[in-house]
Amino acid sequence: MTWREYHEATKHTAESLRRARSPLDWGNMPDPFRHYEGVPVLDLPADPPVPGIPALEVLRGALGSTPALDGPAFLSELLFYSAAISASKCVPSTGYRYALRVNPSSGNLHPTEFHFVSRGVAGWPDGLYHYRPSAHMAEQRATGEIILNRATHPAPLVFVLTSIVWREAWKYRERAYRYCLHDVGHAWQALSLAARAMGCSTFARGHFDDDDIARACRLPEDEWPMLLIEVNGAPIPLREPDSAEIVWHAGRPNRLSMVEIPYAPIEGIRNATRLAAGCIPGPAPMEEPLPRPQQITLPPPASTPRGFGETARARRSALDFAGGEQSLSLPQLSALLEAASTPFSADFACTRLVELYLYVHRVDGLAPGVYRYWRELAGLEQLRTGDQRVVAAGLSLGQDLAGNACVAFSMIGDLDRAAHIYGDRGYRYVYFEAGAIGQRLYLGAEALGLGATGIGAFYDDEVHRYLTISPAQGQVVYHFAVGYPISDPRLEA
Ligand SMILES: Cc1cc2nc3c(=O)[nH]c(=O)nc-3n(C[C@H](O)[C@H](O)[C@H](O)COP(=O)(O)O)c2cc1C
């Protein structure tokens, strides 16, 4: 199977939804928490300092600072503001309570696991750890010098984000691989922006030998390595690295479901996007599409003092938006688009692969219509005029929130160009980028006092027809909505 076959096979159409209609097997729902049982578990100190730099400044690329901390407190702060539990919801009719995290996830199923390798972090033994968000602790899977990949050394911290695709496939079946990639993109930016807010830089690596990393981290068969993220910077408290031999605890991964149902297209895309030793593509940049003159130049972005720490932990997906009169200002839209456009730091980020199309419903000074955002010019080109609320909701599988928002987005990924540069592996990178943009929009919206929701479900080819884009120009990979959230009675904290 190629990326193209997988992508075609997992498009939503009215017909595909009819065929897929079957009740969820709640008794077999995967546990959203992975534990490695039987390993030492290290405390991450409670109440780490709050990164106070304004979130919008971090989104613009500014570096925050961190008071001098020891290693455990540093790790605690980084994870508390990127991957920890930050709220819970309770379903009033059943009393069923569940956790929400700093990083969002399609269906709140959380396929992404955070592992990290530490080397020379003061007060923290060198080794391989798995983050346990349910208790804000680190499971020590090995001590000693773990070599992941020569290129990643000598960063004192290297995160390995993995996906447990079954968690998403339980609900979303074949299409689940797409959502896992989005979730990795969100988690990447959640981590990377928290690191920036603390004064550290990150670099993400998507090109690696998958089997090599899986072996180095002794990953179980259901966890697939997706992204390595190196964290560097003066705020990391350092000491000389240990030269100790590796001692493995490894641990027994908990069982997530009674039965796992395999999906052939997921195995197919997994194999298509896998890299093996010796075939790691070097990025060969291709010309980006030339910007066309825009019709509307955006004003300078709005700013707010809301701090990063508060913003990251308050971020939530809106259940729906108040569809009344309240609108966004143009400087607020400008701030969101700027947040989405700040360059990424990754080995697959030499060229941008995702473009934003906007369904503008209520933005002061901007007529309702469809617009394309030209990043290089910070401008908008109007493609269609008129009320887009019914269309935006309809294209998003009839989800009202895309029509009740002030602005909804189609993210158009240049899948062909990605494949030309990176081979089938490029499929992952387009989705990582879309998820990363989504995370920036979530945080930007929250900082501005707005709400946002990622939307993974849409009628693919109908979006293309409506936007009059051919597959060669790109394909829709993600929808997103920003507006004034209605209150969610299930939310507890
Ligand atoms: C990739 C992705 C796709 C999503 N798709 C939808 C969607 O189609 N409809 C929706 O209402 N919410 C969607 N969400 C929002 C999730 O349901 C939400 O993130 C999850 O319930 C956790 O809540 P939180 O974001 O408040 O932590 C999506 C989120 C992500 C990250």
Side-chain angles (χ1 to χ4, degrees):
M1 171 171 265
T2 61
W3 71 264
R4 198 184 300 280
E5 287 163 346
Y6 172 79
H7 195 71
E8 285 300 321
T10 55
K11 284 181 172 172
H12 277 325
T13 62
E15 175 50 28
S16 74
L17 289 171
R18 244 192 319 276
R19 263 189 279 120
R21 200 173 293 155
S22 59
L24 286 176
D25 180 358
W26 289 102
N28 197 38
M29 182 183 176
D31 185 337
F33 296 108
R34 156 105 327 144
H35 302 301
Y36 284 89
E37 288 157 5
V39 299
V41 182
L42 274 61
D43 263 331
L44 293 166
D47 301 323
V50 187
I53 177 173
L56 285 178
E57 282 184 26
V58 178
L59 287 164
R60 256 172 227 146
L63 275 182
S65 60
T66 302
L69 297 173
D70 60 10
F74 178 89
L75 281 163
S76 178
E77 182 174 340
L78 183 58
L79 286 159
F80 195 68
Y81 292 99
S82 59
I85 288 175
S86 53
S88 61
K89 281 189 183 173
C90 180
V91 182
S93 55
T94 59
Y96 174 63
R97 185 169 273 118
Y98 55 96
L100 301 167
R101 308 189 199 180
V102 174
N103 55 315
S105 166
S106 28
N108 200 36
L109 295 165
H110 286 285
T112 313
E113 296 291 328
F114 288 63
H115 299 253
F116 61 92
V117 170
S118 67
R119 183 173 180 275
V121 175
W124 190 265
D126 289 2
L128 171 68
Y129 298 83
H130 170 250
Y131 178 55
R132 185 186 277 195
S134 58
H136 191 54
M137 289 173 137
E139 298 166 346
Q140 188 178 62
R141 303 196 56 228
T143 53
E145 192 183 12
I146 307 285
I147 307 268
L148 281 180
N149 159 338
R150 273 176 217 303
T152 63
H153 276 259
L157 282 172
V158 182
F159 280 80
V160 180
L161 302 188
T162 66
S163 287
I164 301 181
V165 180
W166 161 245
R167 284 214 183 104
E168 289 286 314
W170 168 76
K171 182 169 183 187
Y172 299 111
R173 302 152 74 111
E174 290 84 354
R175 197 168 158 106
Y177 192 81
R178 297 188 185 199
Y179 299 157
C180 290
L181 300 180
H182 283 133
D183 278 27
V184 169
H186 280 279
W188 163 34
Q189 285 304 294
L191 186 71
S192 168
L193 292 166
R196 280 205 85 76
M198 293 172 67
C200 295
S201 64
T202 60
F203 188 79
R205 292 185 193 274
H207 309 315
F208 52 78
D209 176 338
D210 296 51
D211 291 341
D212 217 31
I213 296 298
R215 253 191 315 271
C217 298
R218 296 204 186 172
L219 295 176
E221 183 43 37
D222 66 355
E223 271 192 60
W224 305 346
M226 291 291 187
L227 198 61
L228 309 182
I229 304 169
E230 301 159 21
V231 185
N232 277 293
I236 307 178
L238 294 179
R239 56 164 172 75
E240 274 305 302
D242 297 337
S243 51
E245 289 287 293
I246 300 176
V247 177
W248 277 97
H249 312 296
R252 285 178 313 281
N254 61 334
R255 190 167 177 180
L256 303 177
S257 280
M258 294 305 290
V259 199
E260 267 190 37
I261 298 158
Y263 289 96
I266 291 182
E267 271 308 310
I269 187 69
R270 179 194 185 188
N271 288 329
T273 57
R274 199 197 281 267
L275 289 184
C279 69
I280 299 197
M286 232 174 109
E287 295 234 325
E288 295 197 36
L290 277 182
R292 280 190 273 161
Q294 83 281 14
Q295 293 170 354
I296 297 144
T297 306
L298 288 163
S303 62
T304 72
R306 192 152 190 223
F308 181 85
E310 191 194 333
T311 302
R313 289 192 58 86
R315 179 216 62 79
R316 289 273 66 86
S317 293
L319 186 62
D320 199 350
F321 299 96
E325 294 297 308
Q326 242 183 334
S327 52
L328 286 194
S329 71
L330 213 43
Q332 283 179 320
L333 180 64
S334 204
L336 291 171
L337 292 170
E338 183 189 56
S341 313
T342 312
F344 295 112
S345 186
D347 62 358
F348 52 88
C350 62
T351 175
R352 291 296 285 258
L353 298 165
V354 175
E355 302 299 334
L356 292 178
Y357 287 67
L358 287 71
Y359 305 82
V360 169
H361 306 321
R362 291 186 315 284
V363 177
D364 295 336
L366 210 51
V370 175
Y371 295 79
R372 178 177 171 163
Y373 176 55
W374 289 98
R375 195 177 41 250
E376 305 78 0
L377 305 167
L380 294 170
E381 178 191 9
Q382 186 160 21
L383 305 176
R384 279 179 181 269
T385 55
D387 190 337
Q388 304 297 320
R389 290 176 295 179
V390 172
V391 174
L395 292 175
S396 305
L397 240 60
Q399 299 188 74
D400 292 345
L401 77 176
N404 289 331
C406 293
V407 57
F409 297 85
S410 282
M411 297 192 203
I412 303 299
D414 197 339
L415 295 170
D416 279 296
R417 201 156 59 91
H420 177 88
I421 302 172
Y422 305 110
D424 281 22
R425 183 72 149 206
Y427 191 72
R428 291 191 187 178
Y429 303 154
V430 173
Y431 277 84
F432 291 166
E433 185 177 323
I437 291 172
Q439 187 63 15
R440 286 160 167 261
L441 290 175
Y442 263 122
L443 292 175
E446 183 64 44
L448 290 163
L450 305 163
T453 303
I455 303 175
F458 39 77
Y459 291 111
D460 299 69
D461 284 336
E462 289 191 26
V463 174
H464 304 147
R465 275 191 287 278
Y466 192 69
L467 298 177
T468 62
I469 49 174
S470 68
Q473 290 170 291
Q475 303 211 39
V476 58
V477 290
Y478 201 12
H479 271 191
F480 211 86
V482 176
Y484 291 91
I486 60 162
S487 70
D488 185 341
R490 300 166 304 173
L491 194 60
E492 293 189 315

